[in-house]
């Protein structure tokens, strides 16, 4: 599992660094659940429920971040289009 996690962490560092913190946090929470099962402090049913909750929370955080990044991208794109229109209008006004 550690090998897989290292690969995922490296991928996220290179391609989506803002996603790394929520993923690492989720892994820590999952590890706590596994330790609880091994120490017989949690039943498998309880553990499965907690793991599902952790996964849903992680997916929600990543989805929120993706929506935020998309909004930032769209805002930057709209600003660039507005700038181009302003330049075009200025050039058009200079023509006789």
């Amino acid at each position: 599992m550690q090998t897989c996690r290292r690969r995922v962490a490296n991928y996220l560092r290179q391609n989506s660094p803002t996603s790394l913190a929520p993923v690492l946090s989720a892994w820590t929470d999952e590890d706590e659940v596994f330790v609880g099962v091994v120490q017989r402090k949690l039943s498998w049913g309880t553990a499965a429920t907690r793991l599902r909750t952790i996964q849903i929370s992680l997916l929600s955080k990543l989805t929120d971040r993706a929506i935020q990044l998309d909004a930032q991208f769209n805002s930057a794109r709209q600003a660039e289009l507005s700038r181009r229109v302003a330049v075009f209008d200025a050039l058009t006004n200079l023509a006789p």
Side-chain angles (χ1 to χ4, degrees), residues 28-44:
T28 299
D29 295 343
E30 289 174 350
D31 289 346
E32 289 177 15
V33 171
F34 292 129
V35 167
V37 169
V38 169
Q39 292 177 343
R40 298 181 187 265
K41 292 180 181 178
L42 291 176
S43 69
W44 279 105

Side-chain angles (χ1 to χ4, degrees), residues 71-90:
Q72 288 173 353
F73 173 76
N74 285 334
S75 177
R77 191 176 80 201
Q78 186 61 41
E80 175 62 19
L81 289 173
S82 295
R83 186 188 67 76
R84 288 181 183 189
V85 167
V87 168
F88 179 76
D89 287 344

Side-chain angles (χ1 to χ4, degrees), residues 6 20 24 27 36 38 44 50 54 63 74 79 81 87 93:
R6 273 192 296 276
L20 186 58
L24 293 176
W27 287 345
V38 169
W44 279 105
R50 288 188 185 173
I54 292 166
T63 301
N74 285 334
L81 289 173
V87 168
N93 289 336

Side-chain angles (χ1 to χ4, degrees), residues 3-65:
T3 301
C4 180
R5 283 182 174 183
R6 273 192 296 276
R7 287 181 182 170
V8 170
N10 287 334
Y11 176 83
L12 290 174
R13 268 189 212 97
Q14 293 172 1
N15 298 294
S16 182
T18 59
S19 301
L20 186 58
V23 170
L24 293 176
S25 178
W27 287 345
T28 299
D29 295 343
E30 289 174 350
D31 289 346
E32 289 177 15
V33 171
F34 292 129
V35 167
V37 169
V38 169
Q39 292 177 343
R40 298 181 187 265
K41 292 180 181 178
L42 291 176
S43 69
W44 279 105
T46 301
T49 301
R50 288 188 185 173
L51 290 171
R52 175 62 62 177
T53 301
I54 292 166
Q55 291 171 355
I56 291 169
S57 175
L58 175 60
L59 183 58
S60 175
K61 289 175 186 175
L62 294 175
T63 301
D64 289 346
R65 184 64 184 142

